[in-house]
Amino acid sequence: MTVKSTLIQALTSAPMNRLMGGLRNQCIPIFMLHRMRDKALGVHGHDPDTLRAALSYVRQQHYHPISMRTLVDHLREGTPLPSKAVAFTMDDGFYDQAEIAVPIFQEFQVPVTIFIATGLPDNEWWSWDYKLEYLIMSRMKSAQKVHIGGQTWHLDSADRRRCMRSIRNHIKAQDGTGYDDFVEDIRQQLGCDLPPLPPPAYRAISWSQARALESQGVEFGPHSHKHNILQTQSLADTEREIRYSWSRIKAEIKHPLPVFCYPTGRIGVDFGPREMAIAQHIGLQAAVSADAGYVKLGADAQNNLFALKRFAFPEKLGDFRQYCSWLEFFKEKKHSEYGNGKLV
Ligand SMILES: [Zn+2]
C-alpha cells in the first residue's frame, strides 16, 4: 500500500468522516459510469468487482444513495435530503449496464439513473464513436495505418486503446457535421466491413428491458438521439436531438426523468448556453455534464441546474472513497478560495 493510499484511508475513515461530517453535508457527488467490463464479448469497462466494492463501501460507511429525481427535486424545491447523500448515473444505454451493472446496484439497493441515447434502442444506428472503437479495437491490423488530414496513426497493439482515443479526440476537435464521414474514411482505409447495426458487444438496452427495469426502480433520462457533440451541430440539429430524445423517452417510459445528459459533456466544448437554454425551453428540469465536481448544497450554494457536475466513476476504490468523503470537497473548496495564485 502506498503512503498516499494509506493517508487517504486514514482521512476517510469512519472517525474522520464523523468529525468532518459538516463539510461533507455541503455537497453531493454524482458518479458517472459508462460501460461494464464483459470479458465474454471483449467489452472494456468498469470492473464489476470494483463497483460491488464501492457500493459495499457506501453501505458500510452509511452514505445515503439517492435518486437523481430526489436530488433535482431538492435543488428546485428544497425538498429534504438525507445526510451524506451520493447519486449514481450511467450514460448511453448498452446491454451491459442493464444486465451487469443494474443487478449490482440492486444487490445494495442503490438507485441508479440510465441516460439513454435513444437511437440505440430504436435500432436506427450506432454512434460514430462506438463505430470508431469497433474499427480500431476489433478490425485494425497491426501493420495498418490510419491517416486523417495530415496526421498518421500507427497501431502499436499494446496501445491499441490509446491509439483509438487519440483518433477519437482528433475527430471530436473537428467540425461536428462530419463524424460519420471520418469513420467511413477510416473503414475504407482499413478495408473492412462495418455492420449497419451494432454487433453483440454494442447491443443496446431494449425498450422492453428498460420498462422492466423502470418497474424495479431504475430511472431513465434522455442523452440525445444520435450521440453527436451538440455544440458543433447547427441550431436546428441540436434542437432536434434534445427534443426528439426527450419525446422518445416519454413515449417508451412511464415516468421518465426530466433531466438531460449532454453527449461527451464538457461545458464550453461539447455544450454551452445554447444547449442549456433548449433543454430548459422544452420543459426539462435540469441537465448533467461530464465535468468533475460536486453538486453544492445549502442556502448560498451556486449550482448551474443545467450543467450539474459529476465524477467519472474511478477505477481505484481509494479515489472513490475520496470523492465520497469530505476530503475531495475540502480540496476543491481550498482550490477555489486560494487557488488563483493568492496564497499558493
Ligand atoms: Zn454518452
Side-chain angles (χ1 to χ4, degrees):
M1 192 174 270
T2 64
V3 174
K4 191 186 167 205
S5 65
T6 310
L7 187 65
I8 289 172
Q9 198 150 4
L11 289 171
T12 59
S13 64
M16 277 305 280
N17 283 344
R18 267 197 300 280
L19 198 66
M20 303 303 284
L23 195 59
R24 172 57 175 78
N25 281 330
Q26 294 173 28
C27 66
I28 292 182
I30 305 173
F31 289 99
M32 165 183 67
L33 289 88
H34 283 92
R35 303 203 63 183
M36 297 299 294
R37 184 180 304 168
D38 182 359
K39 283 188 187 153
L41 288 179
V43 177
H44 181 90
H46 306 291
D47 181 349
D49 289 339
T50 306
L51 178 59
R52 198 171 279 110
L55 299 185
S56 167
Y57 174 77
V58 162
R59 286 303 183 193
Q60 277 166 13
Q61 296 293 317
H62 306 293
Y63 286 105
H64 292 115
I66 58 169
S67 68
M68 280 301 295
R69 196 182 302 269
T70 302
L71 175 57
V72 169
D73 284 351
H74 170 80
L75 295 173
R76 282 165 49 86
E77 290 152 28
T79 47
L81 282 187
S83 62
K84 293 171 64 178
V86 291
F88 291 87
T89 61
M90 288 192 280
D91 292 6
D92 298 336
F94 286 104
Y95 79 93
D96 46 282
Q97 297 174 323
E99 295 168 22
I100 300 174
V102 168
I104 300 175
F105 280 103
Q106 289 175 333
E107 189 182 324
F108 293 92
Q109 295 184 303
V110 171
V112 64
T113 294
I114 302 179
F115 291 110
I116 293 194
T118 49
L120 276 172
D122 279 356
N123 272 331
E124 288 178 2
W125 55 276
W126 46 316
S127 79
W128 70 271
D129 40 355
Y130 286 106
K131 283 180 189 164
L132 177 73
E133 182 184 286
Y134 169 80
L135 286 175
I136 307 298
M137 299 302 294
S138 306
R139 306 304 303 274
M140 188 172 177
K141 298 188 179 80
S142 315
Q144 289 185 309
K145 294 174 187 170
V146 163
H147 308 277
I148 306 174
Q151 244 172 291
T152 302
W153 281 264
H154 301 259
L155 188 65
D156 170 350
S157 61
D159 286 326
R160 191 176 276 268
R161 186 157 291 277
R162 191 184 303 169
C163 172
M164 185 273 294
R165 286 197 182 121
S166 169
I167 296 173
R168 190 171 63 194
N169 287 339
H170 180 81
I171 295 176
K172 273 184 188 174
Q174 313 298 313
D175 170 11
T177 55
Y179 299 139
D180 283 314
D181 297 338
F182 282 115
V183 171
E184 173 57 19
D185 183 34
I186 291 168
R187 185 198 68 75
Q188 284 179 16
Q189 290 183 44
L190 300 180
C192 62
D193 296 333
L194 187 60
L197 288 177
Y202 295 88
R203 177 165 57 85
I205 292 177
S206 70
W207 286 121
S208 62
Q209 205 172 15
R211 281 189 286 274
L213 292 178
E214 188 191 25
S215 71
Q216 298 165 29
V218 177
E219 288 184 328
F220 291 90
H223 182 39
S224 84
H225 189 68
K226 291 188 173 175
H227 206 256
N228 286 337
I229 294 173
L230 298 177
Q231 192 165 271
T232 59
Q233 311 281 293
S234 70
L235 172 62
D237 285 346
T238 294
E239 188 163 356
R240 190 164 41 243
E241 277 290 297
I242 299 175
R243 201 182 274 280
Y244 188 61
S245 66
W246 178 224
S247 74
R248 288 297 298 127
I249 292 266
K250 282 196 290 188
E252 300 287 351
I253 299 290
K254 237 181 193 165
H255 300 293
L257 180 74
V259 175
F260 191 72
C261 175
Y262 305 102
T264 317
R266 298 163 298 175
I267 192 164
V269 182
D270 305 318
F271 74 98
R274 182 182 73 169
E275 286 70 31
M276 293 189 252
I278 294 169
Q280 189 164 17
H281 177 71
I282 66 167
L284 294 164
Q285 295 180 351
V288 293
S289 77
D291 290 322
Y294 288 97
V295 173
K296 310 293 188 322
L297 300 178
D300 57 349
Q302 292 187 337
N303 293 299
N304 185 339
L305 207 50
F306 283 84
L308 295 173
K309 293 179 175 175
R310 298 183 292 170
F311 288 109
F313 182 75
E315 278 177 38
K316 292 185 188 144
L317 197 58
D319 293 337
F320 180 77
R321 292 167 69 115
Q322 199 168 332
Y323 294 141
C324 274
S325 73
W326 57 277
L327 188 59
E328 189 67 21
F329 181 59
F330 176 75
K331 280 166 61 183
E332 189 181 284
K333 220 169 142 65
K334 284 294 146 216
H335 182 75
S336 67
E337 282 170 17
Y338 307 127
N340 300 327
K342 288 181 207 152
L343 291 179
V344 290

